[in-house]
Amino acid sequence: MIRIAICDDELQELDRSHSYLAAYMQKHPQYEIKVHSFSAPLELLSFVTEHGGFDILLLDIFMAGMLGTYAARELRQLGDNSEIIFITTSRDHAIEAFEVEAAQYLVKPFAEARIYAALDKIIQRIDRERRVIVTLKTSEGITRIAPRDVAFTETGRNNYQIVHTIQGKKIEVRMTASELFELLSQNKFFVRCGASLNLNLKYIRQISKNTITFDTGEYITYPYRSYQKLKEEFLRFQCSQRNNMCQLPLK
């Protein structure tokens, strides 16, 4: 199931977004989609805190009490990794949208085809990623996991690999770091860091010269000699996300 949330404090715009999604669902019956609506950012934040996040957010920016970009930043700090589509009347917040890794930034008025194209791209990617499942030998037997759910892996005791998931689980795996990378790299966001770390760039919040912090709140230390290469890979990833996101109409 694809879970989509709409957040807009104007009823007319909320209804408009609902109509976009209803039309999309009618054209794509192969996807099971569930839609939730919120008329205020605080309602959305409260729901996510209590019940977990969504796959996709359609988020207005100018709302009473809190900007949508600020709400998105709060969601990221909660560890939420939903794909965000900002729908707004201004180009002025595109940089803030990039900083929270938004998938798309649509400035009204826009052709309906643009939001359908954005949904297509995101949902097809989610569908592909969910179909990729790897089987791992663990200390307790066999487990199956989607690479998209892995934040990072590190080498632990007795050369076991410890898989850290975005849900906060830790799984001990009987294989080398390079063998594990071969499986996880079916997800294009994975990179090696030194001999013992496999990192999902999508979930990295911050990189310093010897520490990596993840959206899950976890952090790890790593060799300083890997800093330059990792920084370059992370910047390339950020730039690719930015190119996908910012398609603003010309003035």
Side-chain angles (χ1 to χ4, degrees):
M1 177 183 291
I2 305 291
R3 300 175 72 234
I4 301 179
I6 308 167
C7 187
D8 199 309
D9 64 346
E10 293 187 17
L11 181 59
Q12 183 177 357
E13 295 302 322
L14 203 61
D15 289 342
R16 193 191 310 275
S17 292
H18 261 292
S19 68
Y20 290 146
L21 292 176
Y24 185 87
M25 291 162 65
Q26 188 172 9
K27 292 178 182 177
H28 299 277
Q30 72 271 32
Y31 299 128
E32 184 181 359
I33 297 174
K34 185 174 183 179
V35 180
H36 293 252
S37 297
F38 302 92
S39 58
L42 287 177
E43 289 181 15
L44 171 63
L45 290 170
S46 177
F47 184 94
V48 170
T49 300
E50 186 173 350
H51 301 287
F54 296 90
D55 297 300
I56 302 172
L57 291 178
L58 272 58
L59 193 57
D60 185 26
I61 289 183
F62 296 104
M63 292 182 281
M66 182 184 296
L67 289 174
T69 47
Y70 185 84
R73 191 175 297 114
E74 290 288 303
L75 287 169
R76 294 302 191 227
Q77 290 176 357
L78 289 171
D80 179 87
N81 291 289
S82 56
E83 301 283 358
I84 299 175
I85 299 175
F86 282 110
I87 300 176
T88 183
T89 57
S90 171
R91 302 173 180 85
D92 294 344
H93 294 273
I95 298 301
E96 292 99 312
F98 162 62
E99 289 172 349
V100 295
E101 299 178 9
Q104 185 60 277
Y105 189 98
L106 298 176
V107 179
K108 305 172 191 176
F110 55 83
E112 291 184 14
R114 293 193 65 205
I115 192 167
Y116 297 145
L119 289 168
D120 269 340
K121 189 172 185 178
I122 294 169
I123 291 175
Q124 287 170 13
R125 181 170 68 246
I126 291 173
D127 188 54
R128 284 195 305 270
E129 290 177 353
R130 286 182 175 176
R131 291 174 186 272
V132 177
I133 302 292
V134 298
T135 301
L136 304 175
K137 293 181 180 180
T138 73
S139 56
E140 298 178 354
I142 300 292
T143 191
R144 301 175 75 235
I145 192 170
R148 73 189 301 269
D149 289 335
V150 177
F152 68 97
T153 77
E154 61 179 333
T155 301
R157 59 183 178 83
N158 300 324
N159 287 322
Y160 273 59
Q161 306 308 310
I162 303 174
V163 177
H164 296 251
T165 73
I166 58 174
Q167 293 83 13
K169 295 181 180 179
K170 296 180 182 179
I171 305 168
E172 284 194 342
V173 177
R174 294 179 178 177
M175 59 177 58
T176 66
S178 58
E179 289 171 341
L180 184 54
F181 178 74
E182 283 189 31
L183 293 175
L184 296 177
S185 60
Q186 296 178 67
N187 181 307
K188 64 180 181 179
F189 299 144
F190 272 92
V191 297
R192 294 294 306 275
C193 181
S196 62
L197 296 173
N198 297 313
L199 311 174
N200 191 332
L201 294 172
K202 184 175 180 180
Y203 301 125
I204 292 177
R205 180 181 299 172
Q206 184 178 12
I207 297 173
S208 68
K209 291 184 178 180
N210 60 4
T211 305
I212 304 167
T213 305
F214 295 88
D215 289 339
T216 58
E218 294 179 285
Y219 66 90
I220 54 173
T221 58
Y222 71 103
Y224 172 73
R225 63 180 179 274
S226 299
Y227 171 68
Q228 189 62 36
K229 181 181 178 182
L230 178 59
K231 183 178 72 171
E232 291 172 358
E233 289 177 323
F234 187 60
L235 287 174
R236 278 196 296 271
F237 166 73
Q238 292 286 348
C239 287
S240 70
Q241 294 294 98
R242 182 177 185 179
N243 289 338
N244 287 338
M245 185 271 290
C246 291
Q247 299 178 15
L248 304 183
L250 297 175
K251 291 184 178 180

